Amino acid sequence: MKFNQRQKDAFAKNLDNIGTTVFIAIIVAGFLDNKLTLFNGIAMAAFSLFCFGYAAVLRIEDDDNG
């Protein structure tokens, strides 16, 4: 299934928002006592980086085709 330019931009924006929200959750939970384990923090950071990376890939693909 092919997505058009507007759909890719909207999906990339949503991924940016999700990545930012997860990153802020890591910071907030880090200040709370015993609310974030090391494993959970690493998993959440990996998910956040995945969201940012996939959003960047969507934007790079648009630049190549346009």
Side-chain angles (χ1 to χ4, degrees):
M1 175 188 228
K2 290 265 186 183
F3 293 109
N4 63 28
Q5 178 71 26
R6 277 182 78 189
Q7 291 170 327
K8 286 183 180 181
D9 288 341
F11 190 54
K13 184 178 179 182
N14 284 331
L15 286 171
D16 285 338
N17 290 339
I18 292 169
T20 302
T21 303
V22 171
F23 187 71
I24 290 171
I26 292 169
I27 293 172
V28 170
F31 287 111
L32 300 175
D33 190 30
N34 296 326
K35 296 296 181 187
L36 184 67
T37 64
L38 181 63
F39 179 75
N40 287 342
I42 292 171
M44 290 173 68
F47 180 69
S48 180
L49 290 174
F50 171 78
C51 289
F52 288 132
Y54 194 62
V57 168
L58 285 174
R59 290 185 177 108
I60 290 171
E61 287 178 354
D62 291 340
D63 292 341
D64 290 341
N65 293 331

